[in-house]
Amino acid sequence: MLSFWMAAENERQQAVGLAIQEARTSVQTDIGFRHWAASHGGVCVALDAQTPPNPHLHVPDRDVVTTTGKHLTLMNPAYVLRQLMQSGFVAKGRITSMKAINPDLRSASGSSHSMVGKFGWSQ
């Protein structure tokens, strides 16, 4: 009976370890993508029903028309990642920021103080 319990505990620990590694990999992928997109100033994509202009992004040339008449909109990294999560292309999550431009993405308490205290972030 003891050997069964030890084997079961070992299996559980391995499963937990794998789950933690998968979560870290997912977060690192999201962070890497966001840094890459931010380093390029965002990503321009064709406008369609699933990709309207970001109503919270107020920058010059957010919406442009190409010389061939194609309408494009600028997507910041958070907007892209949010759409990827909603469409199921990446693991679901919640985006928060110390400087969120979308009020829906601010911390649950409505201020950055809760994230500073919870995660030890500086303002």
Side-chain angles (χ1 to χ4, degrees):
M1 186 67 166
L2 180 60
S3 63
F4 172 76
W5 178 84
M6 289 174 59
E9 180 61 19
N10 185 42
E11 290 282 329
R12 187 193 70 76
Q13 288 178 0
Q14 287 181 352
V16 169
L18 286 171
I20 289 170
Q21 186 57 42
E22 285 292 321
R24 285 183 179 139
T25 300
S26 178
V27 168
Q28 283 305 115
T29 300
D30 292 351
I31 291 169
F33 167 76
R34 291 183 74 180
H35 284 295
W36 176 85
S39 73
H40 292 285
V43 181
C44 284
V45 299
L47 285 171
D48 62 21
Q50 290 78 34
T51 311
N54 183 343
H56 307 289
L57 185 62
H58 304 288
V59 296
D61 300 322
R62 179 193 73 181
D63 301 308
V64 296
V65 180
T66 68
T67 56
T68 60
K70 189 170 193 167
H71 293 261
L72 303 174
T73 190
L74 180 66
M75 295 178 73
N76 65 342
Y79 194 55
V80 174
L81 190 57
R82 185 175 190 171
Q83 282 205 345
L84 289 169
M85 288 177 183
Q86 289 172 341
S87 63
F89 290 118
V90 300
K92 296 226 183 257
R94 177 157 170 78
I95 301 170
T96 60
S97 174
M98 300 285 285
K99 299 176 184 174
I101 61 173
N102 179 345
D104 296 336
L105 302 181
R106 293 196 181 119
S107 65
S109 71
S111 74
S112 62
H113 298 295
S114 65
M115 289 196 303
V116 170
K118 184 172 183 177
F119 300 107
W121 296 346
S122 59
Q123 291 186 337

